[in-house]
Amino acid sequence: MTHFPSHFYFGSSTSAHQVEGGNMNDWTRWEQQQASKLAREAHRSTNYGQGPTPRWDEVKTEARQAENYRSGQAVDHYSRYREDLALARQIGLNAFRFSIEWSRVEPRRGQYDEAAIRHYAEMAATCHKYGQEPFVTLWHFTLPVWAAEAGGWESAEVVERFVAFAEVMGQGLRPHVRYWATLNEPEVYAGQAYLAGVWPPGYRSPTRFSRARRALMRAHRGAYQKLKSVEPTFQVGFCTNQTVFVASPAVLRPVANWLAHLANDYFPARLAGQADWIGLQYYFRRSVGWSSSLPKSDLGWDLYPEGHAILLRRLARFGKPLFVTESGLADARDRYRSWYIEASLASIKQALADGVDCRGYFHWSLLDNFEWHEGFWPRFGLVRVDHATLERELRPSAYHYGELVQRCRSEQSVTTDHDSVATASFKR
């Protein structure tokens, strides 16, 4: 029987702009410009073609308010990260993935904020204190205002500044961080920002889309090299969004395969050669030629946890260690989350049985957060957050995740130090 390896990480993920609060970047400016429009058009489906939101009658009041689309204080994780890490420790997690807000570190071109760098170093050190390996993402969709005004990811200067930013963070966090991700879901960002036009800078241009993709590849390669020059033992990778495509009738399978290639392969095929690991981010299955009867998240996404094994096998061909760096669902009523986590871990275990080198699972998200152009109403958190009071509360599914982690560890034939640290403090 296959068990999770002793070095396996069970964690949770966040991103700076979605949880920190008090940011001023290109997304903040976009929110100020777009909030009223998004509120007026909230009834339209923007859920990657997945259909209308199943819980529209329950969320429409919140979704029609402009404030839903302004991140503002978010969930004040910047000030409350110790409290949040303590909640993750309470359920026995041994890893935490967070991102650096570039605009805090370099608020003006070439000028670095030492206090912000110390803040993120202290976050990483606190992760260790609470028995959690920090996984740090350098870029999770947001740009400093000056970088956006310089042309964003179409600008060679912005690529150069990002590589310099990577070096600064590598030096600043070197004592505390081993695992780095350069980019988060570059394929999603390029599509949403340069083809669909629903994220800043809001273009709908195949030419700009292609230019941005090439720049993002250069940014990864430059950041990878710079981080490795700071510390050769750094483990540097990137995070890619992958989607399962299925077809019925069978005659449509070539179409599904072609779509899977277009959606999934561009960045992994070009960046795996300069990566120590690859992060899989998986949320839903897409159907070609038929309507799915699968359970759906609050965003209308097909819930198909078996897809983890399918996509891990697919990524394994690049010959790199893999981590599931995001996997989760919008589920305010906590109806499906426990089942989804358990079924996802079972699917990952199946991939391990097939010889796939998967080394961790990070649930998205630790906290209810600001879900980009959907705003606050989708609830992805293991921790329920009252957006008015910022009160935190572990959901029942969070405790279930903790119990699964304990069960998985009890099945391991070998226990390492980092496995035992977090389990010691699990309490219901």
Side-chain angles (χ1 to χ4, degrees):
M1 180 181 296
T2 299
H3 301 308
F4 285 96
S6 59
H7 59 270
F8 196 87
Y9 290 109
F10 297 93
S12 60
S13 282
T14 60
S15 90
H17 186 76
Q18 292 179 268
V19 296
E20 284 186 347
N23 285 315
M24 176 50 70
N25 53 43
D26 65 330
W27 262 97
T28 314
R29 190 168 61 176
W30 177 262
E31 293 161 17
Q32 295 167 352
Q33 297 167 350
Q34 297 292 318
S36 296
K37 177 177 181 288
L38 290 171
R40 289 194 305 271
E41 298 177 355
H43 62 285
R44 298 181 181 176
S45 172
T46 57
N47 303 320
Y48 306 99
Q50 297 288 295
T53 299
R55 293 180 54 243
W56 175 246
D57 286 342
E58 298 175 40
V59 305
K60 62 184 179 183
T61 299
E62 184 176 7
R64 286 171 173 166
Q65 296 175 357
E67 286 306 306
N68 178 67
Y69 305 97
R70 299 188 181 105
S71 58
Q73 66 179 346
V75 296
D76 194 28
H77 179 68
Y78 197 81
S79 300
R80 298 174 182 238
Y81 69 86
R82 292 180 180 86
E83 175 187 354
D84 297 333
L85 287 169
L87 288 169
R89 177 178 62 176
Q90 186 176 337
I91 58 172
L93 304 187
N94 65 355
F96 181 63
R97 175 174 170 252
F98 65 93
S99 72
I100 307 296
E101 177 52 47
W102 185 4
S103 67
R104 290 187 187 274
V105 172
E106 192 178 0
R108 289 167 295 279
R109 183 189 284 102
Q111 299 180 25
Y112 296 102
D113 187 326
E114 294 299 328
I117 297 170
R118 286 196 302 273
H119 169 86
Y120 289 114
E122 289 167 4
M123 276 190 69
T126 304
C127 286
H128 288 293
K129 179 181 177 181
Y130 288 3
Q132 297 167 61
E133 184 77 24
F135 281 64
V136 173
T137 302
L138 287 173
W139 175 77
H140 198 125
F141 297 160
T142 59
L143 290 171
V145 170
W146 61 261
E149 291 176 346
W153 287 117
E154 296 180 84
S155 165
E157 179 192 4
V158 170
V159 173
E160 293 172 1
R161 293 305 321 163
F162 177 75
V163 173
F165 161 67
E167 181 178 24
V168 167
M169 295 314 304
Q171 292 171 340
L173 275 62
R174 180 178 179 181
H176 311 293
V177 176
R178 175 171 44 164
Y179 292 99
W180 297 85
T182 56
L183 305 176
N184 180 79
E185 297 184 356
E187 56 280 290
V188 171
Y189 172 83
Q192 295 288 81
Y194 289 90
L195 275 183
V198 296
W199 290 1
Y203 295 128
R204 296 182 180 181
S205 166
T207 301
R208 290 178 180 270
F209 168 72
S210 296
R211 190 179 298 139
R213 288 201 304 181
R214 291 193 298 271
L216 286 162
M217 286 192 293
R218 293 195 302 273
H220 164 80
R221 291 169 180 149
Y224 176 87
Q225 293 168 359
K226 193 63 70 174
L227 286 168
K228 299 294 272 191
S229 70
V230 170
E231 175 52 66
T233 63
F234 280 164
Q235 297 298 294
V236 185
F238 62 94
C239 301
T240 176
N241 181 276
Q242 302 279 294
T243 301
V244 172
F245 289 83
V246 294
S248 181
V251 69
L252 293 177
R253 286 177 188 165
V255 177
N257 292 338
W258 177 71
L259 290 171
H261 170 69
L262 288 180
N264 297 335
D265 292 346
Y266 185 86
F267 282 97
R270 290 161 175 79
L271 299 183
Q274 283 190 299
D276 301 315
W277 57 272
I278 298 173
L280 165 64
Q281 312 209 156
Y282 168 59
Y283 287 96
F284 52 74
R285 190 181 80 170
R286 300 289 296 268
S287 299
V288 179
W290 64 314
S291 297
S292 169
S293 60
L294 291 174
K296 295 183 183 297
S297 75
D298 292 351
L299 281 167
W301 300 350
D302 277 358
L303 300 178
Y304 184 62
E306 296 86 348
H308 289 83
I310 295 170
L311 294 171
L312 285 168
R313 293 188 199 104
R314 183 181 176 92
L315 284 172
R317 73 188 192 276
F318 295 110
K320 301 293 181 178
L322 304 175
F323 295 89
V324 178
T325 42
E326 286 185 25
S327 169
L329 65 160
D331 185 15
R333 290 174 291 184
D334 211 30
R335 179 182 179 187
Y336 295 120
R337 192 174 284 107
S338 291
W339 157 75
Y340 191 80
I341 293 172
E342 185 163 0
S344 297
L345 291 174
S347 185
I348 293 168
K349 188 181 286 189
Q350 183 57 59
L352 291 168
D354 294 338
V356 174
D357 183 8
C358 182
R359 302 184 182 184
Y361 167 83
F362 293 74
H363 188 77
W364 183 272
S365 174
L366 176 63
L367 304 157
D368 285 342
N369 56 31
F370 179 77
E371 193 54 33
W372 306 113
H373 68 295
E374 302 288 356
F376 283 109
W377 74 258
R379 304 302 179 100
F380 278 86
L382 293 166
V383 176
R384 184 191 69 81
V385 180
D386 184 316
H387 289 309
T389 66
L390 300 181
E391 179 183 359
R392 274 98 156 120
E393 179 185 15
L394 286 164
R395 287 191 164 101
S397 58
Y399 289 111
H400 185 69
Y401 183 20
E403 291 164 357
L404 291 170
V405 170
Q406 281 196 324
R407 187 190 311 167
C408 291
R409 291 200 179 106
S410 70
E411 295 173 350
Q412 292 167 342
S413 58
V414 178
T415 302
T416 64
D417 289 342
H418 81 253
D419 287 322
S420 59
V421 167
T423 57
S425 61
F426 175 78
K427 296 177 182 178
R428 178 117 194 195

